[in-house]
Amino acid sequence: MTLLGRRLPFVAAGLLVVGLAAGLMAPPDRLQGNLQRLMYVHVPAAWLAFLGFAITFGASVAWWWRRKPRYDRLAASAAEVGVFFTGLAIVLGSVWGKPVWGVWWTWDPRLVTTALMFFVYLGYLALRRATLDPLVRARRAAVFGVVAFVQVPIVHMSVLWWRSLHQPPTVLRPGDPAIDHSMLAALLANLLAFTVVFAMFLRARMRLAAAQDDVDATPGPLAGDAVSAPRLEGVSRDE
């Protein structure tokens, strides 16, 4: 394990403490009050879902180009971490939506497209588990990983393409971000912290995937190797 690898969990923990402390010290929203503080985890979770699926897309393209197993491992690992953060974003959005919208779930375009993206990548992971041959699995997953990425821009643009209860972009927009600068600083701190957590998760999952590939590549004993003919007491093999 490299020096950076040994330090990465401590760096991630330290940045999380700083980011969450910044979120608690930032002023509350004028209308939503302290409920708005969920944004400091919800927004990074959504960003990391996009990042995970973008890595899956890039690694899938790289597999088609180079046919190296490490790209297949990277695509699978990033998809798993991306699904985790997508689920976290959906749950936190529901927690926020209940007091603000009055319901845990509404058929808002951003919510529907995010849920669809979540299930599409669950399907990606299911496809990988259902295919035993490594080469066939990598080939099918690479196609799926490229095609599924179309979900990401659809989710991102959904609040602009359709009428939506979800607020439009406040940071990634032309001109000055539509957010108080102290809140923006806290949000950026948490984006950095959770991105390092993402890197830690991705690295750990890649190591597990590499170890699993080594186990699968090691030939095990044949079924008949451990089977021997029974011997009767006092009877020789030649009788």
Side-chain angles (χ1 to χ4, degrees), residues 74-90:
L74 177 59
S77 301
E80 285 193 13
V81 180
V83 164
F84 167 77
F85 280 107
T86 305
L88 179 61
I90 291 173

Side-chain angles (χ1 to χ4, degrees), residues 62-230:
W63 185 89
W64 278 110
W65 181 34
R66 303 297 298 273
R67 303 296 176 99
K68 300 292 186 181
R70 65 175 178 269
Y71 295 123
D72 182 54
R73 291 195 295 267
L74 177 59
S77 301
E80 285 193 13
V81 180
V83 164
F84 167 77
F85 280 107
T86 305
L88 179 61
I90 291 173
V91 169
L92 292 177
S94 295
V95 172
W96 176 87
K98 176 60 175 176
V100 174
W101 293 340
V103 292
W104 294 103
W105 177 265
T106 184
W107 297 101
D108 176 81
R110 170 60 63 86
L111 274 65
V112 172
T113 53
T114 302
L116 181 61
M117 181 177 70
F118 178 71
F119 286 110
V120 164
Y121 280 95
L122 281 180
Y124 171 88
L125 298 177
L127 173 68
R128 298 190 63 90
R129 287 186 173 273
T131 309
L132 298 180
D133 183 87
L135 182 59
V136 175
R137 178 175 61 235
R139 185 186 303 119
R140 292 176 179 176
V143 174
F144 202 145
V146 170
V147 175
F149 186 71
V150 72
Q151 295 287 320
V152 173
I154 291 175
V155 172
H156 179 68
M157 299 299 294
S158 60
V159 294
L160 301 177
W161 289 346
W162 300 289
R163 293 187 58 183
S164 175
L165 293 173
H166 196 284
Q167 68 185 51
T170 57
V171 177
L172 297 178
R173 50 170 286 171
D176 193 43
I179 184 175
D180 180 83
H181 286 184
S182 60
M183 292 181 178
L184 177 61
L187 178 60
L188 293 177
N190 280 285
L191 282 171
L192 174 62
F194 280 96
T195 300
V196 176
V197 171
F198 174 94
M200 184 180 68
F201 286 175
L202 181 61
R203 183 179 184 276
R205 189 63 188 86
M206 283 284 291
R207 289 170 64 88
L208 287 174
Q212 184 62 51
D213 284 352
D214 290 341
V215 170
D216 293 342
T218 303
L222 297 177
D225 289 348
V227 178
S228 59

